[in-house]
Amino acid sequence: MLDGLSVIRNKIGSSSAEEVVASYLDRIEKSDINAFTCVAEDAIDQAKKADSLNIEGPLAGVPIAIKDNISTRGLPTTCSSAILNGYVPPYDAHVIERLRKAGAVIIGKSNMDEFGMGTSTETSTYGPTLNPWDTERVAGGSSGGSAAAVAAGQVPVSLGSDTGGSVRCPAAFCGTVGLKPTYGAVSRYGLVSYANSLEQIGPLANRVEDIATLMDVIGTYDNRDSTCVNHDAGYTDALQDDVEGLKIGVPEEYFGEGIDDNVQKLVWDAIGKFEDMGAEYTKVSMPNTPYALAAYYIIAMSEASSNLARFDGTRYGTRSEGENWHMMASKTRQEKFGAEVKRRILIGTYALSAGYHDKYYLKALKVRTLVKQDFERAFEDVDVLMAPTMPTPAFKIGEKMDDPLSLYLSDVNTVPINLAGVPSISVPCGFSEGLPVGLQVIGKYFDEATILKAANAFEKNTDHHTKLAGEVV
Amino acid sequence: MVYENPDGVMVGLEIHVQLNKLATKLLCGCSTDYHTSEPNTHVCPVCMGLPGCLPVLNKRAVEYAIRIGLALNCEIVEQTQFHRKNYYYPDLPKGFQTTQYDYPIVSDGRVVIEGEDGEHVVRIRRAHMEEDPGRLMHMGSIDRSKGTLIDYNRSGMALIEIVSEPDMRSPREARRFLDKLRNILEYLDVFDSTLEGSMRVDANISIGGGDRTEVKNISSHKGAERALLYEIMRQKNIKRRGEEVVMETRHFDEARGVTISMRTKEEEHDYRYFPEPDLVPMRVGSWVDGILETLPELPDARRSRFISDYRMVDTHAKALTSDIRVADFYEEVASQVDPAAAAVWVSDVLKGELNYRDLTIASFTVEDMVKIIELVVGGKITEKGAVEIIRNILDEGGCPMGIVKEKGLLKVEGDVVDQAVEEVLKENPEALEDYFAGKEKSLNFLVGQVMKKTRGRADARSVREMMLEEIDKNYR
């Protein structure tokens, strides 16, 4: 059974943060799942500092892995892309400032799909992260490194980012907990943008209560992100395990074609468990769900085509040589971006181009409004929605790499949440042929309290989270 | 008189105004005071476009934009938002420019200028906010440069792009519009025109209803006038040959005074505009009334007030109000001496001397101007002496009384002049005879001789009177 924060805090208290961090560094060193893109050379110094300063608080001396698209001062931030090879940001992201203040030890940067573009961490320039439950399988993505590191006990907690499911997918595939907060709940300042209007930084951990603890640290107002909302959260305070009277909505469209039978069964079992605990469920319809995937990819790729324009070799990272600046920029982008990134930039550029803008981009925005309305309507009657996080358990490495469309389809149950901007958590709800399956609990805007409460109650009444990778057959 | 516009000239202008009176840039907290700094010293992760950085809108910049909109008699939108304009250039660190597209903050205004045939209205189509890119510096000439350096100090400065309708009918009207616009903006205290890059102009021009060309990046008002004169000539020549003007973008070569083709319509960029996701739409409607209350007196209003309050002629009122610094200077002077005298001395004399030397009003103090006017009005020095003091202060420095003493400019006493008049008449009998013979001019010669003898310290008009008196008394 993997340790939660309370156990680690006790260990740090009885020995030292230095010792605890050293033992985690040792596990990272011995691992071959490729969860990290770099390990912080000053991790031990950070731990010593935490020891000497006697910082109180839930994260003092606790090692944490940070997805490699979150800016860390003095530590490379490459988005797992060759184009950012050697780039060390001169500033910390808001969430990193908050973590450092809370005494956390930034132990390293975790592997991801290049610029967050993928569902399997296979598009990383450093190669795929392997799933700790079956190393022939993907860890999910794009925050694959963050999830696998937690699942393999290399860190107790980590941060990922979720644009269309990038925290929840690897959490589900690796059997950990992962939260995509409400859009605006966590500052994006310092997160290298892929699709600004969709993405949020989110925590991953082995325990729901640890997710709440992390949210208390990172989910504070920041005036450097204009979309960040100043709201009173108190994530840990909201944590209970009483779901008596909780109204669950089960969206039919999330159990449609392509959803694995076993996954459906495990999710229904979980909903049954909630009934046992005093909750009640009704089926709800979210009719615009079938159009969400297409709208999502158009919006995400359009924004990405603009966001990734700054990577031209002029100011940071690596560059290719060319006889003039536009040849330099062109060759840099041609040679240093991976295939999936180039595909998305090209599609996004096309979708925004004169003559196609109305046909694709504007239409996608309209669908986005309809999807939002689906959620608003559903939440008039229910407190939370429950559905499978991913349509299947983790697939084999290489299985979908040559078929981007089928890969995009695996995001079918996660992307509507990002289009709407509501919060959603994935918690382990069982195993299918030895592979973890995730239950997705979706909440109202800024109502993380209710989904954390539901997830916590489920965790307290089940034992899926106690299983270790390799133990389940 | 009605201006016929014989060539059917239509000029529209797009003016980029840098809001350099703001303390910080448009989207970050960097200081705007970069003009005398080393390159790349007024930058931060945000204006350098480092990965992960997010923009935060400068609220004061929005207020300034609204002030400008009100001063240009525009409509202010209820809700406004920013767009991304995507294109590649090394001076553009993010690979896109944050700008406004379909909801510019202000639109549909008007400015009255002095046109070819009296007052002329130039309509304002829109004015929107955007960020300034950085600056490229070529090592040597642009075609032989071994490398290009980039200075991002300017990157992220707040700009207002003001777009006029094609209402100007001559290069002169275009220049007057630009002057008027600069004048208004300085009254609003939103920008300082003396700083490099503070106002940059693109001009659209067509003649006789043909296709228009756009001349980009003109850096001065005089340059705009010259570029337009050249363009009209060029387009007329094309038509004279029976050809058609093609729609294209041209560059103005300031040194040679010609425009050069940059790209034709087919090569135009597709900027792929879309809403900036990092800046949320903003409701500005409620601000407008508050800003309206704080709007200062504008040039036209001040000009009318000068005429009514100080009873000056319109040409003086115009000259004094066409630069807010001169207007302020005048009013300070006028509060201490006779306003009518002050109008003449500041507008006719001081401004002339400043223009001749290419200096601004900041080169002269109110205190000195007041003293000089007091000396002239009090009859202590001659007008000529006063002009000499002004020139001396501008060229060599010093204070009025010091110069008066040093140069002996105090008017000479009456008996010295009497004596000089007597002497001159004795010494020049021929001139006197010429005068008696009807040659008026010879009297001027005699007055001149007196002035010479008194080294200019006598008042020419009274010398003339004394001369005639003396002639009547002793020579008739």
Side-chain angles (χ1 to χ4, degrees), chain B residues 262-277:
Chain B
M262 277 165 72
R263 56 176 186 267
T264 54
K265 187 73 190 165
E266 295 80 64
E267 300 161 46
E268 289 242 311
H269 280 112
D270 177 359
Y271 291 115
R272 308 193 317 278
Y273 286 98
F274 75 100
E276 166 58 88

Side-chain angles (χ1 to χ4, degrees), chain A residues 305-366:
Chain A
S305 72
S306 171
N307 286 326
L308 269 59
R310 71 188 64 195
F311 303 103
D312 57 8
T314 305
R315 292 170 303 282
Y316 39 76
T318 50
R319 69 162 66 155
S320 305
E321 292 303 325
E323 57 221 60
N324 49 40
W325 74 265
H326 42 92
M327 282 312 294
M328 183 277 286
S330 172
K331 278 181 79 180
T332 299
R333 291 169 68 80
Q334 182 190 335
E335 289 168 9
K336 311 291 185 190
F337 277 141
E340 183 61 27
V341 170
K342 282 191 268 196
R343 173 159 38 238
R344 294 195 189 195
I345 290 173
L346 287 174
I347 294 174
T349 302
Y350 182 84
L352 284 177
S353 294
Y356 301 98
H357 184 274
D358 295 5
K359 198 169 162 190
Y360 297 109
Y361 180 75
L362 280 190
K363 198 148 228 176
L365 290 186
K366 284 176 189 162

Side-chain angles (χ1 to χ4, degrees), chain B residues 152-431:
Chain B
Y152 292 104
N153 276 353
R154 196 172 80 180
S155 169
M157 289 289 290
L159 296 178
I160 294 283
E161 181 176 343
I162 299 166
V163 182
S164 85
E165 296 289 348
D167 289 346
M168 285 149 281
R169 302 161 298 176
S170 70
R172 188 158 53 172
E173 284 191 347
R175 180 159 182 187
R176 283 186 182 152
F177 173 73
L178 290 170
D179 288 343
K180 186 66 179 273
L181 194 60
R182 175 169 61 194
N183 192 14
I184 292 170
L185 295 169
E186 294 206 317
Y187 269 68
L188 293 172
D189 201 24
V190 297
F191 111 125
D192 176 354
S193 67
T194 63
L195 293 173
E196 178 271 327
S198 57
M199 210 163 163
R200 307 193 290 275
V201 180
D202 299 342
N204 285 292
I205 176 154
S206 67
I207 61 171
D211 266 346
R212 65 184 168 82
T213 62
E214 185 178 21
V215 185
K216 283 264 191 199
N217 283 320
I218 307 168
S219 57
S220 70
H221 298 190
K222 198 171 143 195
E225 193 175 4
R226 285 173 63 215
L228 289 169
L229 281 169
Y230 178 86
E231 249 328 88
I232 291 170
M233 185 190 72
R234 193 187 66 85
Q235 293 191 11
K236 271 164 82 175
N237 284 337
I238 290 173
K239 295 215 163 175
R240 205 169 289 145
R241 290 196 299 269
E243 294 162 15
E244 289 294 317
V245 174
V246 291
M247 196 182 277
E248 63 179 348
T249 301
R250 299 180 70 84
H251 165 77
F252 180 55
D253 182 333
E254 196 112 34
R256 291 194 285 153
V258 300
T259 66
I260 305 153
S261 180
M262 277 165 72
R263 56 176 186 267
T264 54
K265 187 73 190 165
E266 295 80 64
E267 300 161 46
E268 289 242 311
H269 280 112
D270 177 359
Y271 291 115
R272 308 193 317 278
Y273 286 98
F274 75 100
E276 166 58 88
D278 291 328
L279 291 170
V280 288
M282 166 178 60
R283 301 196 75 86
V284 296
S286 58
W287 289 10
V288 176
D289 288 347
I291 293 171
L292 194 59
E293 280 169 23
T294 67
L295 218 59
E297 183 183 37
L298 293 169
D300 286 348
R302 200 167 191 182
R303 182 170 156 190
S304 306
R305 181 167 62 80
F306 274 21
I307 293 170
S308 61
D309 283 12
Y310 302 118
R311 307 195 172 282
M312 63 174 74
V313 292
D314 187 51
T315 47
H316 281 163
K318 210 174 103 191
L320 290 172
T321 55
S322 68
D323 179 338
I324 186 169
R325 285 161 288 227
V326 174
D328 289 345
F329 183 96
Y330 167 75
E331 289 216 88
E332 271 192 68
V333 173
S335 71
Q336 299 175 53
V337 297
D338 172 33
V344 174
W345 282 97
V346 176
S347 132
D348 289 349
V349 185
L350 181 60
K351 266 194 86 177
E353 296 294 328
L354 290 170
N355 284 347
Y356 177 70
R357 289 167 179 78
D358 215 6
L359 293 171
T360 67
I361 194 78
S363 314
F364 215 82
T365 68
V366 168
E367 196 192 350
D368 286 353
M369 193 71 247
V370 167
K371 187 73 208 169
I372 293 166
I373 295 172
E374 279 173 356
L375 287 171
V376 177
V377 173
K380 296 280 194 299
I381 57 171
T382 62
E383 291 188 355
K384 195 162 169 264
V387 172
E388 200 175 335
I389 296 171
I390 291 171
R391 289 182 178 159
N392 203 290
I393 289 174
L394 290 173
D395 295 333
E396 287 153 49
C399 67
M401 280 318 288
I403 297 165
V404 163
K405 253 184 218 163
E406 191 189 313
K407 305 219 159 188
L409 293 177
L410 279 185
K411 263 193 201 169
V412 287
E413 296 300 321
D415 49 351
V416 177
V417 183
D418 279 350
Q419 198 187 330
V421 169
E422 274 176 42
E423 280 175 24
V424 165
L425 287 171
K426 270 180 198 155
E427 287 162 13
N428 297 283
E430 292 140 36

Side-chain angles (χ1 to χ4, degrees), chain A residues 19 69 90 165 168 226 228 238 274 317 321 347 368 372 432 456-457:
Chain A
E19 220 167 284
N69 59 355
R168 290 159 289 156
S226 308
C228 186
F274 274 98
E321 292 303 325
I347 294 174
R368 183 177 193 167
K372 256 185 206 167
S432 171
N456 194 46

Side-chain angles (χ1 to χ4, degrees), chain A residues 71 84 87 90-91 183 187-193 196-197 223-227 302-303 305-312 314-316 325 333 348-349 352-354 357 361 365, chain B residues 44-46 48-57 83-96 101 136 148 150 152 270-280:
Chain A
S71 300
L84 273 175
Y87 169 63
Y91 76 104
Y183 188 76
S187 168
R188 291 180 291 113
Y189 185 79
L191 171 69
V192 182
S193 299
N196 324 48
S197 75
N223 61 14
R224 293 168 299 185
D225 174 357
S226 308
T227 63
S302 296
E303 292 182 9
S305 72
S306 171
N307 286 326
L308 269 59
R310 71 188 64 195
F311 303 103
D312 57 8
T314 305
R315 292 170 303 282
Y316 39 76
W325 74 265
R333 291 169 68 80
T349 302
L352 284 177
S353 294
H357 184 274
Y361 180 75
L365 290 186
Chain B
C44 71
V46 176
M48 285 292 285
L50 286 191
C53 280
L54 299 175
V56 177
L57 186 61
H83 270 68
R84 289 185 178 184
K85 181 180 181 179
N86 295 282
Y87 66 96
Y88 284 100
Y89 212 66
D91 66 5
L92 196 65
K94 291 179 292 191
F96 60 81
Y101 183 54
L136 295 186
T148 299
I150 315 174
Y152 292 104
D270 177 359
Y271 291 115
R272 308 193 317 278
Y273 286 98
F274 75 100
E276 166 58 88
D278 291 328
L279 291 170
V280 288

Side-chain angles (χ1 to χ4, degrees), chain A residues 16-27:
Chain A
S16 68
E18 186 184 348
E19 220 167 284
V20 169
V21 168
S23 75
Y24 277 106
L25 282 170
D26 190 46
R27 285 162 96 156

